[in-house]
Amino acid sequence: GFMSVLAWWSVTIDVVLQRVEHAAWAIVSLSGPITAAAGITLNQQNLMILASFLQGCWVWFLCGSALALRNGLPRRWRASLYIDILNPFASNSCVAGSLAPSRNLSRAPPPAAAAAASQLLQCLEALLKEHVASQLEEEVLEQVRGSKNRLQEVLE
């Protein structure tokens, strides 16, 4: 019981939902474990079958929440907002269950991000030095070069 509530709560914290959707989320996620507990207490096999079905509905609900995509990333999961950190036009704020439009149309990254990006650029350049690059596979080298070029474009 406690682990089910903990799983529901931790997922609920990361998902952007409206009030009605939160209620449906709670009902779907907690109905399986509650039905299983009732089936065990009452020694009813039919309730255990229903509990399995309800738990499957919870998994399908989780999968469905990840399908609402924005630029190829799940729109309802807050963690996905931090995947595309080099896109300055992406918004990292959530308002009433949807993503707010970006207010910062400047191409310049914030000073702290620019400092971190320049350190990352130095690390990528160090990887591309001949004595290090000779130990890396060509595919990895191409990925490092591509990342370095994209980072330089953002910093310019």
Side-chain angles (χ1 to χ4, degrees), residues 86-89 106-109 117-118 121 124-125 145-156:
L86 296 180
N87 184 359
F89 297 106
S106 168
R107 292 275 311 158
S118 65
L121 190 60
L124 292 174
E125 288 170 350
R145 285 186 192 111
S147 296
K148 178 184 171 243
N149 292 338
R150 285 191 303 274
L151 195 56
Q152 281 178 325
E153 288 173 9
V154 170
L155 288 175
E156 291 174 353

Side-chain angles (χ1 to χ4, degrees), residues 15 25 49-50 58-59 72 76 95 104 148:
V15 177
W25 190 269
I49 294 169
L50 179 62
W58 164 239
V59 172
R76 293 191 176 263
V95 175
N104 181 13
K148 178 184 171 243

Side-chain angles (χ1 to χ4, degrees), residues 9-65:
W9 194 10
S10 58
V11 169
T12 301
I13 288 171
D14 194 45
V15 177
V16 179
L17 299 172
Q18 294 175 355
R19 197 173 290 239
V20 173
E21 293 172 321
H22 271 292
W25 190 269
I27 290 168
V28 171
S29 64
L30 298 176
S31 62
I34 290 170
T35 306
I40 292 169
T41 304
L42 301 173
N43 198 19
Q44 294 290 321
Q45 293 295 324
N46 294 336
L47 287 179
M48 297 306 287
I49 294 169
L50 179 62
S52 298
F53 172 76
L54 292 171
Q55 197 64 26
C57 290
W58 164 239
V59 172
W60 279 103
F61 202 70
L62 281 173
C63 293
S65 69

Side-chain angles (χ1 to χ4, degrees), residues 64-150:
S65 69
L67 291 180
L69 301 178
R70 173 190 45 84
N71 298 333
L73 300 172
R75 179 177 57 89
R76 293 191 176 263
W77 289 82
R78 283 189 184 100
S80 70
L81 297 174
Y82 303 105
I83 293 173
D84 192 13
I85 60 170
L86 296 180
N87 184 359
F89 297 106
S91 172
N92 284 342
S93 61
C94 301
V95 175
S98 62
L99 295 177
S102 177
R103 290 176 183 83
N104 181 13
L105 297 178
S106 168
R107 292 275 311 158
S118 65
Q119 285 180 331
L120 181 58
L121 190 60
Q122 290 173 356
C123 292
L124 292 174
E125 288 170 350
L127 279 174
L128 292 173
K129 289 189 178 177
E130 190 172 322
H131 65 280
V132 176
S134 64
Q135 299 174 8
L136 299 175
E137 295 178 11
E138 190 60 35
E139 182 179 325
V140 173
L141 280 174
E142 287 304 315
Q143 290 175 351
V144 170
R145 285 186 192 111
S147 296
K148 178 184 171 243
N149 292 338
R150 285 191 303 274

